[in-house]
Amino acid sequence: SSGINAEWSLRPGFQTLVLAFLNNCLGHKSTIIIALIFQILQLAWFGLGMSKWMMWLAGILASVSSMSYPAISAYASQSAESEQQGLLQGILTGIRGLSTGFGPAIFGLLFYFFHVELDETSLDLNDQSDASSKYNSMMLPGGPFLFGALLAFVALLITLSLPESQTKPLDLKKEKSTDCDSALIPLL
């Protein structure tokens, strides 16, 4: 829960200021790659983390990775004709909706297969021997998150094979260095 709080409190800043800066300076594809790298790190950290401070750090990593969907939408819109924009964004939103619906079901099965106990009420947190024996009886407590990191790595490999977008995100007449220098001015 701590990591989730960190993610939700930092997400707006990353999806506005940092996303705009990265898109303008590096382009959409590079922004997607950066977001996926942070997604891999975040999921691996959740999978291997054992303490509360580690969950907070994973939440910070997750807030950076939250740039992936807006960056994917921007990349796709740069690659489509203007009359295809509605169809394209509808397809992307539909895929995201399906993922939001099926994701919890699939990962619920993964938690089951990895024997991860999700019911905190069954653990007596005052009895350290009970808590540690329950924890040790789980095959791999962070296994579902490590599997998610593997899926994000596959997405990273697919992204690396994509072509660079053909047009610049803001103004085609400006040079790249001026886009980076002035990327945050409209947002401040």
Side-chain angles (χ1 to χ4, degrees), residues 6 23 29 36 43 53 56 71 85 107 116 118 133 135 139 142 156-157 161 171 182:
N23 273 337
K29 179 180 174 182
L36 286 173
L43 289 167
W53 73 269
W56 273 98
Q85 293 294 320
F107 277 87
V116 177
L118 297 176
S133 68
Y135 184 80
M139 186 187 321
L156 177 65
L157 294 177
S161 71
D171 189 359
S182 63

PDB file of all heavy atoms in Angstrom, residues 6 23 29 36 43 53 56 71 85 107 116 118 133 135 139 142 156-157 161 171 182:
ATOM      1  N   ALA A   6       2.857   6.244  -2.997  1.00  0.00           N
ATOM      2  CA  ALA A   6       3.939   6.998  -3.626  1.00  0.00           C
ATOM      3  C   ALA A   6       3.678   7.157  -5.114  1.00  0.00           C
ATOM      4  O   ALA A   6       3.880   8.233  -5.679  1.00  0.00           O
ATOM      5  CB  ALA A   6       5.279   6.292  -3.394  1.00  0.00           C
ATOM      6  N   ASN A  23       9.286  13.656 -24.333  1.00  0.00           N
ATOM      7  CA  ASN A  23       8.744  13.572 -25.690  1.00  0.00           C
ATOM      8  C   ASN A  23       9.377  14.610 -26.607  1.00  0.00           C
ATOM      9  O   ASN A  23       9.688  14.316 -27.759  1.00  0.00           O
ATOM     10  CB  ASN A  23       7.222  13.746 -25.681  1.00  0.00           C
ATOM     11  CG  ASN A  23       6.491  12.447 -25.466  1.00  0.00           C
ATOM     12  OD1 ASN A  23       7.009  11.366 -25.719  1.00  0.00           O
ATOM     13  ND2 ASN A  23       5.274  12.554 -24.990  1.00  0.00           N
ATOM     14  N   LYS A  29       9.276   7.291 -29.081  1.00  0.00           N
ATOM     15  CA  LYS A  29       9.797   5.931 -28.927  1.00  0.00           C
ATOM     16  C   LYS A  29      10.762   5.846 -27.746  1.00  0.00           C
ATOM     17  O   LYS A  29      10.680   4.922 -26.931  1.00  0.00           O
ATOM     18  CB  LYS A  29      10.488   5.474 -30.214  1.00  0.00           C
ATOM     19  CG  LYS A  29      11.062   4.073 -30.110  1.00  0.00           C
ATOM     20  CD  LYS A  29      11.737   3.663 -31.396  1.00  0.00           C
ATOM     21  CE  LYS A  29      12.447   2.318 -31.232  1.00  0.00           C
ATOM     22  NZ  LYS A  29      13.148   1.928 -32.450  1.00  0.00           N
ATOM     23  N   LEU A  36       9.209   1.809 -20.084  1.00  0.00           N
ATOM     24  CA  LEU A  36       9.233   0.346 -19.947  1.00  0.00           C
ATOM     25  C   LEU A  36      10.408  -0.123 -19.096  1.00  0.00           C
ATOM     26  O   LEU A  36      10.275  -1.094 -18.340  1.00  0.00           O
ATOM     27  CB  LEU A  36       9.266  -0.314 -21.327  1.00  0.00           C
ATOM     28  CG  LEU A  36       7.949  -0.278 -22.096  1.00  0.00           C
ATOM     29  CD1 LEU A  36       8.136  -0.795 -23.513  1.00  0.00           C
ATOM     30  CD2 LEU A  36       6.878  -1.084 -21.368  1.00  0.00           C
ATOM     31  N   LEU A  43       8.536  -3.606 -11.297  1.00  0.00           N
ATOM     32  CA  LEU A  43       7.964  -4.931 -11.066  1.00  0.00           C
ATOM     33  C   LEU A  43       8.974  -5.884 -10.441  1.00  0.00           C
ATOM     34  O   LEU A  43       8.631  -6.669  -9.550  1.00  0.00           O
ATOM     35  CB  LEU A  43       7.411  -5.493 -12.377  1.00  0.00           C
ATOM     36  CG  LEU A  43       6.147  -4.811 -12.888  1.00  0.00           C
ATOM     37  CD1 LEU A  43       5.849  -5.212 -14.315  1.00  0.00           C
ATOM     38  CD2 LEU A  43       4.973  -5.097 -11.973  1.00  0.00           C
ATOM     39  N   TRP A  53      10.168   0.214   3.034  1.00  0.00           N
ATOM     40  CA  TRP A  53      10.878   1.242   2.265  1.00  0.00           C
ATOM     41  C   TRP A  53      11.084   0.800   0.813  1.00  0.00           C
ATOM     42  O   TRP A  53      11.099   1.627  -0.090  1.00  0.00           O
ATOM     43  CB  TRP A  53      12.215   1.622   2.910  1.00  0.00           C
ATOM     44  CG  TRP A  53      13.300   0.587   2.780  1.00  0.00           C
ATOM     45  CD1 TRP A  53      13.584  -0.421   3.643  1.00  0.00           C
ATOM     46  CD2 TRP A  53      14.218   0.463   1.691  1.00  0.00           C
ATOM     47  NE1 TRP A  53      14.625  -1.172   3.170  1.00  0.00           N
ATOM     48  CE2 TRP A  53      15.045  -0.639   1.973  1.00  0.00           C
ATOM     49  CE3 TRP A  53      14.440   1.176   0.514  1.00  0.00           C
ATOM     50  CZ2 TRP A  53      16.064  -1.056   1.122  1.00  0.00           C
ATOM     51  CZ3 TRP A  53      15.454   0.760  -0.335  1.00  0.00           C
ATOM     52  CH2 TRP A  53      16.250  -0.343  -0.017  1.00  0.00           C
ATOM     53  N   TRP A  56       7.965   1.663  -1.084  1.00  0.00           N
ATOM     54  CA  TRP A  56       7.913   3.085  -1.416  1.00  0.00           C
ATOM     55  C   TRP A  56       8.767   3.362  -2.649  1.00  0.00           C
ATOM     56  O   TRP A  56       8.355   4.102  -3.544  1.00  0.00           O
ATOM     57  CB  TRP A  56       8.391   3.941  -0.241  1.00  0.00           C
ATOM     58  CG  TRP A  56       7.283   4.252   0.706  1.00  0.00           C
ATOM     59  CD1 TRP A  56       6.985   3.602   1.873  1.00  0.00           C
ATOM     60  CD2 TRP A  56       6.299   5.277   0.554  1.00  0.00           C
ATOM     61  NE1 TRP A  56       5.884   4.163   2.457  1.00  0.00           N
ATOM     62  CE2 TRP A  56       5.444   5.198   1.666  1.00  0.00           C
ATOM     63  CE3 TRP A  56       6.056   6.247  -0.405  1.00  0.00           C
ATOM     64  CZ2 TRP A  56       4.366   6.052   1.845  1.00  0.00           C
ATOM     65  CZ3 TRP A  56       4.989   7.108  -0.232  1.00  0.00           C
ATOM     66  CH2 TRP A  56       4.149   7.000   0.886  1.00  0.00           C
ATOM     67  N   ALA A  71       2.642   7.953 -23.711  1.00  0.00           N
ATOM     68  CA  ALA A  71       3.692   7.968 -24.737  1.00  0.00           C
ATOM     69  C   ALA A  71       3.322   7.047 -25.906  1.00  0.00           C
ATOM     70  O   ALA A  71       3.574   7.379 -27.069  1.00  0.00           O
ATOM     71  CB  ALA A  71       5.029   7.555 -24.133  1.00  0.00           C
ATOM     72  N   GLN A  85      -7.368   8.973 -36.625  1.00  0.00           N
ATOM     73  CA  GLN A  85      -7.055   9.213 -35.220  1.00  0.00           C
ATOM     74  C   GLN A  85      -8.093   8.633 -34.259  1.00  0.00           C
ATOM     75  O   GLN A  85      -7.750   8.012 -33.262  1.00  0.00           O
ATOM     76  CB  GLN A  85      -6.882  10.716 -34.952  1.00  0.00           C
ATOM     77  CG  GLN A  85      -5.671  11.324 -35.616  1.00  0.00           C
ATOM     78  CD  GLN A  85      -4.380  10.788 -35.055  1.00  0.00           C
ATOM     79  OE1 GLN A  85      -4.237  10.580 -33.861  1.00  0.00           O
ATOM     80  NE2 GLN A  85      -3.416  10.562 -35.933  1.00  0.00           N
ATOM     81  N   PHE A 107      -3.509 -12.319 -13.209  1.00  0.00           N
ATOM     82  CA  PHE A 107      -2.537 -12.243 -12.126  1.00  0.00           C
ATOM     83  C   PHE A 107      -3.072 -12.856 -10.835  1.00  0.00           C
ATOM     84  O   PHE A 107      -2.302 -13.314 -10.008  1.00  0.00           O
ATOM     85  CB  PHE A 107      -2.030 -10.815 -11.942  1.00  0.00           C
ATOM     86  CG  PHE A 107      -0.930 -10.505 -12.917  1.00  0.00           C
ATOM     87  CD1 PHE A 107      -1.220 -10.037 -14.177  1.00  0.00           C
ATOM     88  CD2 PHE A 107       0.382 -10.761 -12.588  1.00  0.00           C
ATOM     89  CE1 PHE A 107      -0.220  -9.797 -15.098  1.00  0.00           C
ATOM     90  CE2 PHE A 107       1.402 -10.529 -13.491  1.00  0.00           C
ATOM     91  CZ  PHE A 107       1.107 -10.044 -14.750  1.00  0.00           C
ATOM     92  N   VAL A 116       0.854 -17.553  -3.190  1.00  0.00           N
ATOM     93  CA  VAL A 116       1.007 -16.299  -2.462  1.00  0.00           C
ATOM     94  C   VAL A 116      -0.260 -16.063  -1.652  1.00  0.00           C
ATOM     95  O   VAL A 116      -1.359 -16.034  -2.196  1.00  0.00           O
ATOM     96  CB  VAL A 116       1.259 -15.122  -3.431  1.00  0.00           C
ATOM     97  CG1 VAL A 116       1.340 -13.810  -2.673  1.00  0.00           C
ATOM     98  CG2 VAL A 116       2.522 -15.361  -4.231  1.00  0.00           C
ATOM     99  N   LEU A 118      -2.758 -13.833   0.082  1.00  0.00           N
ATOM    100  CA  LEU A 118      -3.162 -12.441  -0.024  1.00  0.00           C
ATOM    101  C   LEU A 118      -3.997 -11.971   1.161  1.00  0.00           C
ATOM    102  O   LEU A 118      -4.240 -10.786   1.302  1.00  0.00           O
ATOM    103  CB  LEU A 118      -3.957 -12.229  -1.315  1.00  0.00           C
ATOM    104  CG  LEU A 118      -3.197 -12.491  -2.610  1.00  0.00           C
ATOM    105  CD1 LEU A 118      -4.114 -12.337  -3.801  1.00  0.00           C
ATOM    106  CD2 LEU A 118      -2.003 -11.571  -2.722  1.00  0.00           C
ATOM    107  N   SER A 133       6.823 -18.330   9.028  1.00  0.00           N
ATOM    108  CA  SER A 133       6.544 -19.655   8.484  1.00  0.00           C
ATOM    109  C   SER A 133       5.552 -19.565   7.322  1.00  0.00           C
ATOM    110  O   SER A 133       5.677 -20.267   6.342  1.00  0.00           O
ATOM    111  CB  SER A 133       6.020 -20.592   9.576  1.00  0.00           C
ATOM    112  OG  SER A 133       4.742 -20.174  10.003  1.00  0.00           O
ATOM    113  N   TYR A 135       5.238 -16.958   5.357  1.00  0.00           N
ATOM    114  CA  TYR A 135       5.977 -16.338   4.263  1.00  0.00           C
ATOM    115  C   TYR A 135       6.881 -17.363   3.593  1.00  0.00           C
ATOM    116  O   TYR A 135       6.964 -17.426   2.380  1.00  0.00           O
ATOM    117  CB  TYR A 135       6.794 -15.150   4.786  1.00  0.00           C
ATOM    118  CG  TYR A 135       7.507 -14.406   3.709  1.00  0.00           C
ATOM    119  CD1 TYR A 135       6.819 -13.488   2.920  1.00  0.00           C
ATOM    120  CD2 TYR A 135       8.852 -14.608   3.455  1.00  0.00           C
ATOM    121  CE1 TYR A 135       7.457 -12.798   1.907  1.00  0.00           C
ATOM    122  CE2 TYR A 135       9.498 -13.923   2.447  1.00  0.00           C
ATOM    123  CZ  TYR A 135       8.794 -13.014   1.688  1.00  0.00           C
ATOM    124  OH  TYR A 135       9.427 -12.341   0.684  1.00  0.00           O
ATOM    125  N   MET A 139       5.813 -20.316  -2.394  1.00  0.00           N
ATOM    126  CA  MET A 139       6.831 -20.758  -3.340  1.00  0.00           C
ATOM    127  C   MET A 139       7.780 -19.606  -3.684  1.00  0.00           C
ATOM    128  O   MET A 139       8.978 -19.713  -3.529  1.00  0.00           O
ATOM    129  CB  MET A 139       6.181 -21.305  -4.605  1.00  0.00           C
ATOM    130  CG  MET A 139       7.183 -21.915  -5.553  1.00  0.00           C
ATOM    131  SD  MET A 139       6.510 -22.400  -7.149  1.00  0.00           S
ATOM    132  CE  MET A 139       4.931 -23.074  -6.811  1.00  0.00           C
ATOM    133  N   GLY A 142       7.053 -13.004  -4.629  1.00  0.00           N
ATOM    134  CA  GLY A 142       7.001 -11.974  -5.658  1.00  0.00           C
ATOM    135  C   GLY A 142       6.952 -12.510  -7.068  1.00  0.00           C
ATOM    136  O   GLY A 142       7.150 -11.761  -8.022  1.00  0.00           O
ATOM    137  N   LEU A 156       9.431  -4.262 -24.154  1.00  0.00           N
ATOM    138  CA  LEU A 156      10.607  -3.439 -24.461  1.00  0.00           C
ATOM    139  C   LEU A 156      11.277  -3.912 -25.742  1.00  0.00           C
ATOM    140  O   LEU A 156      11.647  -3.102 -26.604  1.00  0.00           O
ATOM    141  CB  LEU A 156      11.592  -3.465 -23.293  1.00  0.00           C
ATOM    142  CG  LEU A 156      12.891  -2.705 -23.486  1.00  0.00           C
ATOM    143  CD1 LEU A 156      12.647  -1.212 -23.632  1.00  0.00           C
ATOM    144  CD2 LEU A 156      13.836  -2.982 -22.331  1.00  0.00           C
ATOM    145  N   LEU A 157      11.419  -5.221 -25.903  1.00  0.00           N
ATOM    146  CA  LEU A 157      12.026  -5.761 -27.125  1.00  0.00           C
ATOM    147  C   LEU A 157      11.188  -5.416 -28.357  1.00  0.00           C
ATOM    148  O   LEU A 157      11.732  -5.068 -29.412  1.00  0.00           O
ATOM    149  CB  LEU A 157      12.214  -7.275 -27.008  1.00  0.00           C
ATOM    150  CG  LEU A 157      13.219  -7.757 -25.963  1.00  0.00           C
ATOM    151  CD1 LEU A 157      13.242  -9.279 -25.915  1.00  0.00           C
ATOM    152  CD2 LEU A 157      14.605  -7.195 -26.235  1.00  0.00           C
ATOM    153  N   SER A 161      12.037  -2.613 -31.768  1.00  0.00           N
ATOM    154  CA  SER A 161      11.929  -2.931 -33.192  1.00  0.00           C
ATOM    155  C   SER A 161      11.063  -1.932 -33.963  1.00  0.00           C
ATOM    156  O   SER A 161      11.027  -1.975 -35.181  1.00  0.00           O
ATOM    157  CB  SER A 161      11.375  -4.347 -33.381  1.00  0.00           C
ATOM    158  OG  SER A 161      10.015  -4.383 -33.025  1.00  0.00           O
ATOM    159  N   ASP A 171       6.615  21.464 -32.759  1.00  0.00           N
ATOM    160  CA  ASP A 171       6.725  22.340 -33.911  1.00  0.00           C
ATOM    161  C   ASP A 171       7.794  21.806 -34.842  1.00  0.00           C
ATOM    162  O   ASP A 171       8.950  21.701 -34.462  1.00  0.00           O
ATOM    163  CB  ASP A 171       7.065  23.749 -33.426  1.00  0.00           C
ATOM    164  CG  ASP A 171       6.990  24.768 -34.554  1.00  0.00           C
ATOM    165  OD1 ASP A 171       6.696  24.400 -35.701  1.00  0.00           O
ATOM    166  OD2 ASP A 171       7.232  25.944 -34.272  1.00  0.00           O
ATOM    167  N   SER A 182      12.968  24.792 -24.353  1.00  0.00           N
ATOM    168  CA  SER A 182      11.699  25.448 -24.054  1.00  0.00           C
ATOM    169  C   SER A 182      10.567  24.472 -23.782  1.00  0.00           C
ATOM    170  O   SER A 182       9.421  24.870 -23.753  1.00  0.00           O
ATOM    171  CB  SER A 182      11.309  26.357 -25.224  1.00  0.00           C
ATOM    172  OG  SER A 182      11.117  25.578 -26.383  1.00  0.00           O
TER     173      SER A 182
END
